[in-house]
Amino acid sequence: MIHLLCCRINTTGPALLLRRSSRSVEICRFSRSHTSPVYSLQSSNVVRHFKSLAQRTFLYCSPKTPRPSRSALRFILAPALLTVSGRAFCKVAYCEADVNNNTVTQTDTKDSSPEFNWHLLWEFVKPQLVALIGAVVLAFGAAILNIQIPLMLGDLVNVVARYLREQAGNYVHEIRIPAMKLLAMYGLQGLLTSGYIVLLSRVGERVAADMRKTLFSSLIRQDVAFFDANKTGQLVNRLTADIQEFKSSFKLVISQGLRSVTQTVGCFISLYLISPKLTGLTVVVLPCLVGGGALIGSLLRKLSRAAQEQVAKATGVADEALGNVRTVKAFAMEDRELQLYGFEVDKSCEMNESLGNGIAIFQGLSNIALNCIVLGTIFAGGTLISSNEMSPGDLMSFLVASQTVQRSLASISILFGQVVRGMSSGARVFEYLALAPTIPISVGGRIPYHSLIGRVDFMDVSFSYPTRPGHQVLKKLNLTLPPCKTVAIVGESGGGKSTVAALLERFYDPNNGVVMLDGLDIRTLDLSWLRGQVIGFINQEPVLFGSSIMENIRFGKPEASDAEVVNAAKQANAHGFVMSFPDGYNTVVGMERGVTLSGGQKQRIAIARALIKNPSILVLDEATSALDAESERVVQEAWIGPQEGRSVPAGS
Ligand SMILES: Nc1ncnc2c1ncn2[C@@H]1O[C@H](COP(=O)(O)OP(=O)(O)OP(=O)(O)O)[C@@H](O)[C@H]1O
C-alpha cells in the first residue's frame, strides 16, 4: 500500500514531491523520470510522525495550489507510483509542511477510499431478510411475465390476422381466450410489480433508518478530537445524502437490476426462438445504439452533476450572506454579496441551459433511433413474412420483445454507474460505523458522592491537539486546584486556558503526564459520571438548543422538576428576564443559535443549565464575559455561596 500525502508547503517554486526514507523526509523536485532532493527534514519528530504510515510515503507539495483533489493527485502521481511500486492503488491524506521549522503536520489522516463492508451490510439486511427474499421472488416473477407477454401478444395478433385473411368463424369467440389470458397476465404482472415495490421500499427504508440511527449513535460517541478533524457538514452529509444514495442504489439494484438482467436474457431467448435471422440483425444494431445512448447519457449526467454543484455553490453564497447578515450590513456589503450571488446564479443558469440543450438533442436522437429500429424490424420482418418464414404475430412478438431488451439494456448501463456511486456512499457510511471512540464513555470507576473532595491536580501534563501535533500547547504543566476554592487561570490569548478546562473535562487525554481527581487518574474514572455529575462546564460560546428555555435548562438534569429549573435560573440571575417574555419558561430559543436572546442572556441560561446539576466542580470558561457587573456579581454569589466546600476551578 502506498500513502500519498498532499502537502501545502511554505516555500515558493514548482510542485514538489516528498519522499519518506527511514531517517528523513526528503522534499524533491518531481519529474516523470527522476526526483532530486531539495530539502531534507530530519527531525525525529517528523520521522516519528510517519512511522504509522507505510514504508513508501509520498507527499505531493505545491506552494501555489491550495489543495488538489485526490483524483487529480492520483492522476499527477500515477507515473511515479507505477514506476516505484508497480501498483496503482494508493491512499491519500493531506498535510502542511514547514521547511523553516522542520515540521510536517498531517491535517487529514482519513483513508480516501474507504472499503465497502459487506459484513456490516449483512448485519443491517439480516432483520429484513424475509421481506427482501419476498421482493426478489416477486421481482423475478414480474420479469418472467414480461418475457411471456410479447409471445402472448403474438398469439393475439395471429388470431386477428387469421380472421382478416379467412373472414370466417366467430371473431369474438376466437379472440376471447388469448385476450383473457393476456389480461390475466397484465393483472398478475401489475400485482407482482406493486408487491415487490412495497416490500422493497419497506426493506430499503428500514435498512436506511437502522443505518442512520447506528451511524448517529457512533458519531455522537466519538471524542472531541474526531470533531476537530471532521467538518460537521461532511458528517451530516454522511447521515443524509450518503445513506439516501446508498438506499436508492440498493433498491434499484434489486428491482431494476434483477428485472433487467432476467428480461434481457429471457427476451433474447424468445427473440432467437421466434426468428434467428432477425435476432442476428438485432444483436448487431441494438448494443451499438444502447452503447451510444449510454455514452451520451453519462455525459449528460456529468453535466447535470456539475449544474447541481453550481446551484449548491450559489446557495452556499446566499446561505453565508444571509447567515451573517449583520456583518454584511455592518460593512455595507449588500451590493458585493448581490454581485457574488448573481455571478454564481448566472453560471448555474448557463450550465442548466446547456444541460437542457443536451437533453433535447439526446431525446430527439433517441426518438429517431428507436423509430428507425421499429421501421427496420417491420421492413425485415415483412420480408420474412412474405417468404412465409414468419407469421404477423411473430413479428408483433419480436417487436415488443426487442423493445423490452432495449429498455433493459439501457437500464443495466445506467445501473452500473449507480452501483459504483451506491457502493462508495455505503463505504463512506460504513467507515464511521465501525469507528470506536478512543475515549470510551461509560468505562471506569466512580467516587462515592459523600467521599468526593474535589481536589484536582495536573501533574507534568504536556499536550498538543491531535489536529496540530506539531504545536505543543501545554508543556509539563503542574497545577493544583484545591477543594473549596475558586481558582482563576489568567493568561494571554491562546495561552492554553481553555485547553486546561478541556483536559479536566476529558475532551482530550494529555500526551504526557496525568490529570487527577482526588488523587485518581481521571482516565480510570467513568466519563459519563465525571461529565454528567461531577463537573459543570460552561464554555466561551454557549449554544442553546432549538427548544424552550425550560428544556434548555433541564438539559443539565433531565429528571429535574419545574421548581428546580426555576431555582437554577434564579441562581444564574436569569429568572427576571425569562419571566419578562410573554411565554416565560416556554419561550422557544436556540433558533439560529438562540438569536432571540442577547449574548449575556444566553450565557445566563447556560449557567443555569450547569448549576441545575449541582456539580462538585464548576468550570467557567469566560462564561460571564457577556454579563454586566451586577449580573456577574449575582451569578458568582450563587455558585460560590451554596458550593462552599467544593472545589471550583475557573478559566477566565
Ligand atoms: N481544537 C483545537 N485544535 C487545534 N488547536 C487548538 C484547538 N483549540 C485550541 N487550539 C490551539 O491551542 C492553543 C491554546 O488555545 P486555548 O483555546 O486553550 O487558549 P486560551 O488561553 O483559552 O485563549 P483565549 O483566551 O483566547 O480563549 C491556541 O494556539 C489554539 O490555536
Side-chain angles (χ1 to χ4, degrees):
M1 173 68 69
I2 283 190
H3 289 263
L4 264 187
L5 278 98
C6 162
C7 192
R8 241 178 343 166
I9 189 162
N10 65 338
T11 180
T12 50
L16 298 164
L17 179 73
L18 267 74
R19 184 171 60 188
R20 174 190 183 255
S21 68
S22 54
R23 272 174 297 119
S24 67
V25 175
E26 288 174 343
I27 304 178
C28 310
R29 278 216 172 82
F30 169 67
S31 79
R32 275 168 190 250
S33 51
H34 70 287
T35 52
S36 51
V38 182
Y39 306 101
S40 186
L41 303 173
Q42 289 182 342
S43 95
S44 60
N45 196 14
V46 173
V47 178
R48 198 178 58 234
H49 178 69
F50 291 103
K51 272 230 167 104
S52 59
L53 301 177
Q55 193 61 30
R56 289 194 184 283
T57 298
F58 291 89
L59 293 92
Y60 169 74
C61 311
S62 168
K64 290 185 197 123
T65 50
R67 221 176 127 113
S69 75
R70 290 170 202 276
S71 51
L73 208 60
R74 284 208 189 97
F75 179 75
I76 294 164
L77 290 180
L81 287 173
L82 288 171
T83 323
V84 173
S85 70
R87 293 168 65 187
F89 189 67
C90 62
K91 289 184 176 186
V92 181
Y94 293 100
C95 67
E96 309 254 343
D98 182 343
V99 278
N100 302 327
N101 292 329
N102 214 18
T103 58
V104 176
T105 312
Q106 199 166 326
T107 53
D108 173 2
T109 54
K110 285 192 307 297
D111 182 350
S112 65
S113 47
E115 277 168 28
F116 191 83
N117 191 327
W118 291 100
H119 176 71
L120 273 177
L121 175 64
W122 171 241
E123 291 299 318
F124 285 107
V125 169
K126 211 162 47 179
Q128 316 299 333
L129 202 58
V130 176
L132 183 64
I133 292 175
V136 168
V137 169
L138 296 188
F140 192 68
I144 299 283
L145 287 186
N146 269 353
I147 300 168
Q148 294 297 315
I149 284 171
L151 302 177
M152 300 198 66
L153 267 174
D155 290 346
L156 203 71
V157 170
N158 276 340
V159 172
V160 177
R162 199 168 54 242
Y163 182 77
L164 287 175
R165 210 171 39 240
E166 296 167 5
Q167 292 286 328
N170 185 339
Y171 172 70
V172 175
H173 180 76
E174 280 187 40
I175 203 148
R176 206 186 59 201
I177 293 172
M180 293 301 280
K181 268 192 194 167
L182 194 61
L183 203 63
M185 205 73 120
Y186 281 144
L188 190 58
Q189 202 262 3
L191 268 179
L192 291 179
T193 306
S194 310
Y196 85 71
I197 291 176
V198 166
L199 285 178
L200 208 55
S201 83
R202 204 173 91 177
V203 173
E205 293 309 325
R206 291 186 183 184
V207 166
D210 282 351
M211 279 171 103
R212 282 206 173 99
K213 284 188 270 184
T214 318
L215 178 60
F216 183 68
S217 131
S218 166
L219 289 177
I220 202 99
R221 284 184 165 75
Q222 295 305 318
D223 32 66
V224 175
F226 173 83
F227 294 96
D228 286 345
N230 295 284
K231 288 197 183 111
T232 323
Q234 284 169 355
L235 298 178
V236 171
N237 218 33
R238 294 198 188 207
L239 269 174
T240 51
D242 280 335
I243 291 187
Q244 185 70 19
E245 178 87 51
F246 177 74
K247 182 186 75 182
S248 309
S249 310
F250 178 79
K251 290 205 289 196
L252 267 179
V253 168
I254 306 278
S255 59
Q256 279 195 25
L258 186 78
R259 232 180 55 184
S260 303
V261 171
T262 314
Q263 284 176 187
T264 307
V265 175
C267 284
F268 251 118
I269 295 172
S270 303
L271 290 178
Y272 185 77
L273 292 177
I274 296 166
S275 168
K277 275 189 189 166
L278 263 188
T279 308
L281 205 67
T282 314
V283 166
V284 177
V285 177
L286 213 55
C288 294
L289 284 178
V290 171
L295 194 72
I296 304 177
S298 85
L299 289 178
L300 285 178
R301 275 194 295 281
K302 255 187 209 151
L303 203 59
S304 155
R305 263 201 300 281
Q308 275 170 16
E309 273 165 25
Q310 184 54 38
V311 171
K313 208 169 159 191
T315 312
V317 173
D319 189 47
E320 200 176 50
L322 294 175
N324 298 310
V325 73
R326 284 179 175 75
T327 314
V328 173
K329 284 191 180 299
F331 286 86
M333 294 299 262
E334 289 94 337
D335 286 342
R336 188 179 155 271
E337 290 300 323
L338 190 62
Q339 213 179 349
L340 278 178
Y341 183 63
F343 175 74
E344 300 297 349
V345 167
D346 286 346
K347 225 162 124 185
S348 95
C349 173
E350 228 169 76
M351 289 171 98
N352 276 308
E353 271 179 29
S354 316
L355 178 66
N357 294 343
I359 291 174
I361 294 170
F362 180 63
Q363 292 278 359
L365 283 178
S366 47
N367 278 354
I368 294 172
L370 293 181
N371 290 331
C372 283
I373 290 183
V374 174
L375 192 65
T377 312
I378 292 174
F379 179 76
T383 320
L384 292 174
I385 290 174
S386 65
S387 58
N388 274 338
E389 288 179 63
M390 216 181 178
S391 70
D394 286 344
L395 180 58
M396 178 69 185
S397 302
F398 196 94
L399 269 176
V400 179
S402 62
Q403 299 269 309
T404 309
V405 170
Q406 169 223 314
R407 273 200 309 271
S408 304
L409 280 178
S411 88
I412 288 173
S413 72
I414 294 173
L415 265 179
F416 271 124
Q418 187 71 36
V419 168
V420 173
R421 278 201 300 281
M423 283 188 66
S424 55
S425 298
R428 280 197 294 274
V429 174
F430 293 143
E431 184 188 13
Y432 287 156
L433 274 181
L435 200 68
T438 44
I439 303 180
I441 291 183
S442 300
V443 183
R446 298 179 175 200
I447 303 170
Y449 186 73
H450 54 269
S451 50
L452 184 66
I453 300 165
R455 178 191 161 98
V456 174
D457 294 286
F458 281 68
M459 296 174 73
D460 283 336
V461 169
S462 299
F463 179 69
S464 309
Y465 281 95
T467 47
R468 289 173 69 192
H471 176 68
Q472 198 164 37
V473 180
L474 302 177
K475 198 172 175 184
K476 290 192 178 265
L477 172 77
N478 284 292
L479 174 72
T480 295
L481 309 173
C484 317
K485 288 273 186 289
T486 301
V487 178
I489 301 176
V490 184
E492 64 181 17
S493 175
K497 304 179 291 294
S498 302
T499 307
V500 170
L503 289 177
L504 177 57
E505 184 79 350
R506 221 187 146 202
F507 285 153
Y508 308 90
D509 280 336
N511 304 119
N512 287 306
V514 58
V515 181
M516 309 240 259
L517 174 64
D518 287 359
L520 293 171
D521 184 342
I522 60 168
R523 283 174 293 199
T524 63
L525 298 175
D526 180 343
L527 197 54
S528 61
W529 167 79
L530 188 75
R531 288 180 189 162
Q533 293 172 35
V534 181
I535 302 175
F537 180 73
I538 308 154
N539 70 10
Q540 273 173 319
E541 294 167 18
V543 174
L544 302 184
F545 293 98
S547 56
S548 66
I549 293 178
M550 180 73 84
E551 290 307 313
N552 264 288
I553 298 178
R554 200 175 267 138
F555 192 78
K557 186 181 173 190
E559 69 282 6
S561 64
D562 288 2
E564 282 178 89
V565 171
V566 173
N567 191 32
K570 282 182 179 161
Q571 285 183 20
N573 198 21
H575 182 70
F577 83 78
V578 172
M579 290 313 289
S580 72
F581 293 135
D583 291 331
Y585 282 87
N586 292 324
T587 307
V588 174
V589 292
M591 310 289 215
E592 295 275 311
R593 294 171 180 253
V595 83
T596 48
L597 298 185
S598 74
Q601 287 171 333
K602 271 195 281 180
Q603 282 192 340
R604 278 181 275 174
I605 303 258
I607 291 167
R609 184 164 66 188
L611 288 180
I612 198 170
K613 60 180 178 181
N614 194 19
S616 304
I617 297 170
L618 189 65
V619 182
L620 294 159
D621 187 1
E622 294 186 50
T624 52
S625 59
L627 299 194
D628 57 72
E630 174 58 16
S631 296
E632 192 167 357
R633 188 188 60 74
V634 175
V635 171
Q636 286 193 359
E637 269 173 16
W639 55 262
I640 295 172
Q643 301 292 319
E644 214 60 70
R646 298 275 179 230
S647 160
V648 189
S652 82

